Amino acid sequence: MKFGKWSGIAALTLATGVMLSGCAGAAQPAAVSDTLNIATLSVPTSLDPINATGSSVPFFQAVYDTLIRRQANGDFTPMLATKWEYNADNTQLTLTLRDDIKFHDGTPFNAEAVKANIDRFRTSTGADSKGLKNVSEVTVVDPTHVTIALTDPDPSLIFRLSDSAGLMANPTAFANADSLKTTPDGTGPYELDKGKTVIGTKWVYDRDDRYWGDKLPYKTLTLSVFDNENAIVNGLKTGQIDTALLQTADQRAAAQQDAQLKIQDTNVDVQSIILFDRAGAMVPALGDARVRQALNYAIDRDTMLKQIRQGLGTTTSQMFGTDTLGYDKSLDNYYTHDPKKAKELLAEAGYPNGFDLTLPRLAVIVDDALAASLKADFAAIGVKLTWQDLDQATALKQVFTDKGFPGFVLSLGQPANDWLMISGQLLPGSFNIFGYTDPVATELVNKIQHEAVADSKADAQALNRHIVEQGWFVPFYRQTYALVTDGTVTVTPQSGMAVPSIYNYAPAK
């Protein structure tokens, strides 16, 4: 599957990647190389930055710098912008820009280029364009200063300018709508080697020795796309691949068999039932918080984690990620496995004999083991769960466009920024497709939006506790994945991104 904001759904658009042939036997110790070969399951639709999203971002980082740099630990530091500052009510952000940067073709980078990029990004149909929906105007003050006006405060704006929305392309390429798709032109540390690149299979980048910043340690960067993790592990073992992120427990185990491969844990996604129908429009029972609480008490998270994920993860009852201000460790164990309490809650809500619940199932997200586990746990409290198998080609329309089901099992990325989580998972739209809210959530969201990020921790934690207590979701566990290298490379996981940034790799000492 692809990773990122909603990694389960990304599997629907997985493209066929390269397959490695040959024996997967253990390789001899690899020599340190000036080429970094990264394997991935993510496929960029193009190299135009308006199409950058989720785990495809490294393809773009190679050639495009962002306005703000997000370090591995989540700290924001200067990049193309040297300074940024909000006005008193957080509705205007002023950026101060470097004055010594040029795009790869020699065109100067300046405030006009920033305005052109942000205006183009926010009016595009790209997957992340909605992230700038609160931007009302971008104004050039002078060549090194630009202001971004907002209709409402956006506590995630700095994060977004360190991510896809902050990637700066050469505006001279905008006249030809298709040129950037295959011929990227930015200010980044690499340039695309079109002669060695095979679109859809392998992207090869050569280091630009004219780069204005610190040179990255690898002369060549290669991103190779695969359609299964078994092939990736074979590539790691045979030395054709230097590093990759593995989701599945069996492929992690396969990698562990090779002593040359180094593995570190990284937590990317939380798997959960998203209960869309919290008002009970489709399934009346779900309109009662006690019923939603009962579903949470019904599931045996510990057994699920042990049997389905071989223990690779951490059970949780909350959706806020561990890097957010709203995270509250005590909420991880808020719902224990307590079928007796679940039955009592159902009876209090007027459903002593349970009720029927139909959920959509995509096999790439809900395998047989998970489907059987949830069905059995719900049956134990009288809830009859029926799985309706969906075709991958039409699932997005049936679930999100047609709003045909009261909930959906997904693996959702855990953003490091609280407002990204709130706007993506709690506000109407996106994963709150029925538009549900309540007075407490509305008040807390409004406070978080309008206060300084540094002052929002108490309100973010209160919001987190509220949605846990009200059973907006039925979370299972945060899934632990394996960040694997061949021993010649060191890598640091990236806060707020499923895969590491290209800046997080270095030769092993």
Side-chain angles (χ1 to χ4, degrees):
M1 300 173 208
K2 271 191 198 176
F3 304 96
K5 295 173 186 164
W6 40 328
S7 66
I9 284 294
L12 305 183
T13 55
L14 187 66
T16 300
V18 68
M19 293 290 292
L20 287 177
S21 60
C23 177
Q28 297 299 315
V32 175
S33 170
D34 60 4
T35 297
L36 177 64
N37 294 292
I38 302 173
T40 179
L41 296 173
S42 298
V43 186
T45 57
S46 85
L47 292 182
D48 187 329
I50 63 174
N51 298 128
T53 187
S55 295
S56 71
V57 167
F59 288 87
F60 299 85
Q61 288 178 325
V63 286
Y64 303 108
D65 290 320
T66 48
L67 289 169
I68 297 169
R69 171 86 176 269
R70 189 169 74 254
Q71 299 291 338
N73 65 358
D75 289 347
F76 299 112
T77 57
M79 200 165 201
L80 294 178
T82 60
K83 187 170 66 173
W84 47 93
E85 186 176 14
Y86 276 106
N87 64 351
D89 64 359
N90 295 322
T91 58
Q92 181 174 291
L93 180 69
T94 298
L95 300 173
T96 301
L97 310 173
R98 294 183 64 99
D99 62 2
D100 57 349
I101 308 296
K102 293 183 178 180
F103 291 100
H104 291 150
D105 74 344
T107 301
F109 166 80
N110 53 30
E112 291 285 356
V114 174
K115 174 178 170 57
N117 273 274
I118 293 179
D119 283 344
R120 181 173 182 263
F121 189 92
R122 69 190 181 96
T123 58
S124 74
T125 58
D128 289 355
S129 62
K130 61 183 178 297
L132 296 185
K133 65 181 181 181
N134 284 337
V135 173
S136 59
E137 186 177 11
V138 182
T139 303
V140 173
V141 178
D142 59 43
T144 58
H145 293 86
V146 63
T147 61
I148 303 173
L150 303 171
T151 55
D152 293 293
D154 183 351
S156 67
L157 182 58
I158 301 301
F159 183 98
R160 295 185 190 280
L161 296 181
S162 74
D163 205 75
S164 56
L167 296 164
M168 294 290 108
N170 190 343
T172 62
F174 295 169
N176 182 349
D178 293 330
S179 66
L180 290 173
K181 292 181 178 180
T182 56
T183 309
D185 185 359
T187 65
Y190 291 92
E191 292 186 278
L192 183 70
D193 188 331
K194 297 182 69 173
K196 295 179 180 178
T197 294
V198 181
I199 299 298
T201 300
K202 180 174 70 173
W203 284 255
V204 180
Y205 303 86
D206 297 323
R207 191 171 64 192
D208 184 0
D209 291 332
R210 303 165 300 170
Y211 184 57
W212 62 272
D214 294 335
K215 289 181 173 59
L216 296 188
Y218 297 99
K219 290 184 178 180
T220 304
L221 171 66
T222 299
L223 292 163
S224 297
V225 175
F226 294 77
D227 67 353
N228 69 89
E229 289 190 349
N230 181 61
I232 291 177
V233 172
N234 287 345
L236 287 162
K237 288 183 174 182
T238 57
Q240 298 174 64
I241 294 298
D242 298 320
T243 182
L245 183 70
L246 301 177
Q247 279 196 94
T248 58
D250 59 341
Q251 292 307 319
R252 178 196 181 99
Q256 287 175 321
Q257 295 172 7
D258 190 324
Q260 299 300 326
L261 301 183
K262 308 300 180 185
I263 299 175
Q264 61 177 308
D265 291 340
T266 182
N267 291 315
V268 177
D269 297 333
V270 59
Q271 192 166 46
S272 170
I273 302 175
I274 305 175
L275 295 175
F276 301 138
D277 189 22
R278 299 166 196 141
M282 183 176 292
V283 179
L286 293 178
D288 193 312
R290 292 169 295 186
V291 171
R292 303 193 298 268
Q293 293 162 359
L295 296 180
N296 273 281
Y297 281 116
I299 64 172
D300 186 351
R301 292 173 174 84
D302 290 336
T303 299
M304 290 168 64
L305 181 64
K306 181 180 179 180
Q307 295 184 351
I308 298 171
R309 291 284 307 164
Q310 286 73 59
L312 296 173
T314 306
T315 57
T316 187
S317 302
Q318 63 186 312
M319 298 297 291
F320 276 76
T322 56
D323 289 339
T324 62
L325 294 174
Y327 173 73
D328 181 345
K329 185 175 177 59
S330 69
L331 294 177
D332 279 337
N333 300 315
Y334 185 87
Y335 290 107
T336 58
H337 181 222
D338 193 340
K340 181 175 181 293
K341 186 174 182 63
K343 289 180 180 179
E344 291 172 353
L345 286 166
L346 287 178
E348 290 175 12
Y351 298 93
N353 299 316
F355 61 96
D356 292 344
L357 178 64
T358 298
L359 294 178
R361 180 190 176 200
L362 282 171
V364 294
I365 302 172
V366 181
D367 61 16
D368 290 343
L370 179 56
S373 177
L374 291 172
K375 188 167 186 173
D377 283 347
F378 285 168
I381 66 168
V383 175
K384 182 181 178 182
L385 173 60
T386 300
W387 292 108
Q388 182 171 325
D389 292 329
L390 298 186
D391 178 81
Q392 292 188 18
T394 60
L396 285 174
K397 180 178 183 297
Q398 289 177 275
V399 174
F400 292 97
T401 304
D402 298 343
K403 302 178 183 178
F405 296 93
F408 193 31
V409 176
L410 272 179
S411 295
L412 291 173
Q414 294 197 294
N417 178 276
D418 292 74
W419 192 251
L420 281 177
M421 186 278 172
I422 292 168
S423 60
Q425 298 181 25
L426 305 184
L427 293 184
S430 192
F431 294 110
N432 185 359
I433 60 173
F434 283 27
Y436 176 83
T437 189
D438 62 44
V440 174
T442 299
E443 180 181 359
L444 287 168
V445 166
N446 185 62
K447 290 176 67 177
I448 294 167
Q449 182 175 14
H450 288 85
E451 61 194 352
V453 172
D455 299 330
S456 65
K457 182 173 183 176
D459 290 324
Q461 289 189 336
L463 176 63
N464 185 9
R465 178 169 291 276
H466 176 70
I467 66 172
V468 169
E469 292 175 346
Q470 292 295 304
W472 282 30
F473 301 84
V474 184
F476 312 150
Y477 32 66
R478 289 186 292 274
Q479 300 176 104
T480 297
Y481 298 144
L483 191 52
V484 186
T485 69
D486 66 353
T488 70
V489 175
T490 62
V491 58
T492 303
Q494 176 66 47
S495 175
M497 201 159 79
V499 293
S501 162
I502 65 166
Y503 305 101
N504 298 5
Y505 298 93
K509 295 182 180 179

